[in-house]
Amino acid sequence: MKINWFRKTRTPLRWVFALLAVSVFLVALAYAVSQYVRTSRFFNRSGPIVTKIPDRAFNEMTSNGMQARLNMSNSWFQAGLLVAAAIIGFIFAKKGEANLIVSRGAPEIIMGICAILLLLSSFVCHVLYLNEISYVYFLGGEVQDDSLPDILDWNINYLFIYQFGSLILGAFVAFLTFLSAHMLKGD
């Protein structure tokens, strides 16, 4: 009796996974884009400054803290590249894997696309974060009072957090894709 129930719930469960993947991607994208549009200097050049970032004294400890943040962001970027390479390698290196995912149908294709888009979102957040940090360094170099904008303020730090979140969510959705293609396959 249990086996019949499991067989009947495979297709709906695959669609639940696909809808979950799309929802996760859309929510993550909406949050990141809305925050970036609100706080980015590129979207607010002609208008008044929307956000004000508090100053932080620049000294050796601040410099080391910023360097640690940049190193962590670079490590997450490299981890994202590894996950993307693992996905691509798994699909193309294993004979018939690409056909299995494509032949399983729309849910697996949707989940795979969402996983790749989440990983791309992580890469974009990394690039934007590096851009914001370099701008902060530039601003600190123009001022004579040994201070710079606080990089731990939400108006800069959200890119760092979204980079990590997109990486974790992309890996999770990729896992759901392979789980659905292998464990929930039909008879």
Side-chain angles (χ1 to χ4, degrees):
M1 191 70 167
K2 253 185 176 178
I3 294 173
N4 284 337
W5 175 82
F6 183 71
R7 286 182 183 157
K8 290 178 184 177
T9 60
R10 286 180 184 173
T11 300
L13 189 57
R14 290 173 49 226
W15 279 106
V16 167
F17 283 174
L19 290 175
L20 178 67
V22 169
S23 301
V24 163
F25 170 70
L26 290 177
V27 167
L29 182 69
Y31 274 107
V33 168
S34 68
Q35 183 69 30
Y36 188 72
V37 168
R38 262 195 321 255
T39 61
S40 173
R41 65 185 184 282
F42 296 112
F43 289 100
N44 299 308
R45 284 187 182 180
S46 60
I49 296 175
V50 177
T51 59
K52 182 130 177 107
I53 299 173
D55 280 348
R56 178 177 287 267
F58 186 77
N59 54 34
E60 188 175 333
M61 291 182 73
T62 306
S63 179
N64 290 340
M66 288 178 74
Q67 215 44 53
R69 282 278 188 179
L70 290 173
N71 290 341
M72 199 178 324
S73 181
N74 287 331
S75 295
W76 291 343
F77 179 75
Q78 291 169 356
L81 288 176
L82 269 169
V83 170
I87 291 170
I88 292 169
F90 189 74
I91 288 175
F92 292 113
K94 189 173 179 188
K95 186 176 181 180
E97 188 68 25
N99 289 337
L100 176 66
I101 290 176
V102 171
S103 69
R104 292 293 299 135
E108 284 75 16
I109 293 171
I110 291 169
M111 287 185 280
I113 290 171
C114 287
I116 295 299
L117 290 175
L118 281 164
L119 290 172
L120 285 175
S121 173
S122 175
F123 299 155
V124 168
C125 286
H126 172 70
V127 170
L128 293 175
Y129 181 69
L130 290 181
N131 187 36
E132 293 296 320
I133 293 296
S134 66
Y135 183 69
V136 165
Y137 270 126
F138 175 74
L139 289 179
E142 286 186 343
V143 195
Q144 300 298 331
D145 65 352
D146 290 336
S147 69
L148 70 153
D150 185 7
I151 65 160
L152 296 177
D153 187 73
W154 175 253
N155 294 316
I156 294 176
N157 201 42
Y158 74 92
L159 290 166
F160 181 75
I161 294 167
Y162 288 165
Q163 176 192 1
F164 181 68
S166 294
L167 171 64
I168 296 299
L169 291 172
F172 175 71
V173 171
F175 171 75
L176 286 181
T177 304
F178 290 114
L179 176 76
S180 178
H182 290 281
M183 301 297 282
L184 302 177
K185 58 186 172 190
D187 294 324

